[in-house]
Amino acid sequence: MDHKRVSKDTAQVLISYLTYQAAKLVVTQLYETNPGLGIWLSEFSSTDRIQDGELYLKALMQENRELALRLLTVREHLAEEVVEFLPEMVKTGIQESNVGHRRQLLERMTQMSTPESTSNDNVFEADADEELD
């Protein structure tokens, strides 16, 4: 497994997600202060390019530099506020999620095997009776 590549890909996804969150925050702020610009940014952000934060920002730079710079500032602030908590939150979240999934799987397996094991027990008992004869 290429841990370096996984780390790089994860960081890129996180950067894009923080860009998305910054755009949401700026749109919310603009709806209060400049609704027309907020609507424009919301429509601009509704395209698929928001999935890739870097492509989104490049496109926004061409359309409205001031908004792009605002998003860069908000994204950086979000990163400063959030990133230090992420490692522990991610580890804990994955552990809790895994426990939940394993519990559900075990419950399904036990529910499925209970009726089957009862009928299988009868088959084994019949086989044992035949061998005794």
Side-chain angles (χ1 to χ4, degrees):
M1 176 180 284
D2 185 2
H3 295 290
K4 194 173 193 176
R5 182 70 188 163
V6 171
S7 297
K8 185 177 178 184
D9 291 347
T10 302
Q12 189 59 48
V13 169
L14 181 58
I15 290 167
S16 289
Y17 184 71
L18 289 174
T19 304
Y20 164 75
Q21 287 297 331
K24 272 181 47 175
L25 185 60
V26 170
V27 165
T28 301
Q29 293 169 345
L30 287 173
Y31 277 146
E32 295 175 11
T33 59
N34 187 342
L37 192 56
I39 291 169
W40 180 86
L41 183 58
S42 179
E43 289 174 1
F44 181 84
S45 301
S46 67
T47 63
D48 288 340
R49 70 181 134 212
I50 191 82
Q51 297 293 321
D52 182 333
E54 299 309 305
L55 287 177
Y56 170 80
L57 287 169
K58 285 179 185 177
L60 185 57
M61 282 280 187
Q62 293 176 353
E63 295 291 325
N64 188 321
R65 285 187 197 114
E66 187 178 314
L67 277 179
L69 291 172
R70 185 172 175 174
L71 256 73
L72 292 176
T73 302
V74 171
R75 177 176 75 164
E76 187 173 354
H77 176 72
L78 286 173
E80 289 170 359
E81 295 294 318
V82 170
V83 171
E84 75 178 86
F85 302 107
L86 284 175
E88 189 60 37
M89 290 175 72
V90 169
K91 286 179 195 173
T92 302
I94 287 175
Q95 288 169 347
E96 289 174 356
S97 175
N98 285 353
V99 166
H101 287 297
R102 287 180 176 123
R103 183 180 337 104
Q104 289 175 354
L105 179 61
L106 183 59
E107 287 172 359
R108 279 195 308 250
M109 289 171 56
T110 356
Q111 290 171 356
M112 292 168 76
S113 64
T114 303
E116 290 175 4
S117 64
T118 306
S119 62
N120 287 340
D121 288 344
N122 293 339
V123 170
F124 292 130
E125 288 172 8
D127 288 344
D129 289 341
E130 289 174 8
E131 288 179 12
L132 292 176
D133 292 335

